[in-house]
Amino acid sequence: MDLAALRQEYMRAGLHEKDLAPDPFAQFGNWFDEALQSGIALPNAMTLATATKKGRPSARAVLLKGFDAHGFVFYTHYRSRKGRELEQNPQAMLLFCWEELERQVGIEGRVERVPAAESDRYFASRPLGARLSAIISPQSEPVANREDLETRLEEAAKRWRDAPPRPSHWGGYRLAPDRFEFWQGRRDRLHDRLCYRKSGGAWKIERLAP
Ligand SMILES: Cc1cc2nc3c(=O)[nH]c(=O)nc-3n(C[C@H](O)[C@H](O)[C@H](O)COP(=O)(O)O)c2cc1C
């Protein structure tokens, strides 16, 4: 297959300044609702990019578990690769790619742990198996084999039954944005890119060249 010839025109919609919400959280909410309604798989899946203090980047998918004017929340292992990077360098970026809508949203900012009580509440809402896995999985560390993990899971199930406590190594992060970019694919690769930047408490909107 000739990958270089794999092309598609983006024709679905445009993004005009007059249609943008002045507040980027409201704009995100509008697009997120449309992503939910469109029936695409995992509309809350996003790529999280982090970097070490020295600037070596890494990226992976995580799930958005809430957003409001304070920021965008996801849950993970605090001692995973991403967790360790966020502890040394709290600058991060989230990227949603909703191909079916020919849309992409990038959100940049600073990340902080969510308060323990908020992580407790979310942890308690997870299915039992997911709670037990969070307890036993040393995320991002090498493990000898899959059987080891399964044995640890069985042991944890016996020990904690249906009430495993949230381990202190697992919880939420909230990214507080200072930049958003909304991208809508357009004909002839003349895409729309509208960027919100926080400048002195207010959001400034700029169009960027595609
Ligand atoms: C669609 C999708 C959603 C995911 N959601 C999460 C998540 O919410 N939290 C998480 O820790 N890992 C999630 N993962 C797994 C991560 O992508 C990653 O493998 C894991 O967090 C370890 O990353 P790290 O070693 O870079 O820290 C998800 C993977 C996929 C494909």
Side-chain angles (χ1 to χ4, degrees), residues 22-23 37 48 74 88 98 130 185 194 208 210:
D23 171 40
Q37 280 157 25
L48 163 70
F74 57 90
Q88 50 177 287
W98 295 313
L194 276 300
L208 304 180

Side-chain angles (χ1 to χ4, degrees), residues 1-68:
M1 179 195 247
D2 180 6
L3 283 183
L6 202 57
R7 279 194 191 92
Q8 193 201 319
E9 272 291 357
Y10 299 105
M11 309 286 280
R12 286 180 65 102
L15 180 60
H16 305 284
E17 281 82 347
K18 67 175 170 49
D19 299 327
L20 279 184
D23 171 40
F25 293 93
Q27 180 62 33
F28 179 84
N30 293 341
W31 272 24
F32 191 67
D33 283 348
E34 290 179 30
L36 283 175
Q37 280 157 25
S38 72
I40 60 179
L42 297 178
N44 63 332
M46 55 192 184
T47 300
L48 163 70
T50 56
T52 63
K53 215 185 238 165
K54 287 190 171 164
R56 184 184 171 113
S58 67
R60 77 291 290 154
V62 292
L63 295 176
L64 179 69
K65 287 295 169 176
F67 71 94
D68 61 18

Side-chain angles (χ1 to χ4, degrees), residues 58-207:
S58 67
R60 77 291 290 154
V62 292
L63 295 176
L64 179 69
K65 287 295 169 176
F67 71 94
D68 61 18
H70 301 291
F72 291 75
V73 175
F74 57 90
Y75 286 87
T76 193
H77 195 303
Y78 287 139
R79 295 201 288 268
S80 62
R81 179 175 182 182
K82 73 183 93 47
R84 284 184 274 119
E85 291 182 2
L86 288 171
E87 300 298 320
Q88 50 177 287
N89 174 7
Q91 297 296 334
M93 179 164 180
L94 302 171
L95 187 78
F96 293 86
C97 187
W98 295 313
E99 284 124 71
E100 294 85 344
L101 300 175
E102 300 173 351
R103 283 178 178 172
Q104 172 177 247
V105 183
I107 305 172
E108 291 167 56
R110 219 184 142 81
V111 166
E112 274 184 3
R113 289 188 185 193
V114 306
E118 194 175 329
S119 289
D120 288 341
R121 269 197 305 280
Y122 175 66
F123 186 79
S125 77
R126 300 183 86 210
L128 180 59
R131 278 179 281 158
L132 292 167
S133 286
I135 290 177
I136 62 95
S137 168
Q139 193 178 61
S140 315
E141 296 299 322
V143 288
N145 51 51
R146 184 168 179 96
E147 288 66 44
D148 263 19
L149 290 172
E150 287 173 355
T151 307
R152 281 190 230 177
L153 190 63
E154 280 163 27
E155 286 166 4
K158 278 189 206 129
R159 173 162 183 204
W160 299 110
R161 299 189 176 264
D162 60 354
R166 177 178 68 87
S168 59
H169 63 241
W170 191 96
Y173 284 107
R174 176 175 279 108
L175 182 142
D178 53 25
R179 186 182 185 282
F180 287 74
E181 181 185 323
F182 294 87
W183 183 99
Q184 177 77 61
R186 298 291 301 271
R187 182 184 215 136
D188 299 326
R189 302 294 190 259
L190 208 56
H191 312 303
D192 290 322
R193 296 178 63 191
L194 276 300
C195 168
Y196 294 72
R197 263 188 310 116
K198 209 171 189 177
S199 101
W203 290 98
K204 201 173 159 226
I205 300 178
E206 291 170 322
R207 177 176 286 267

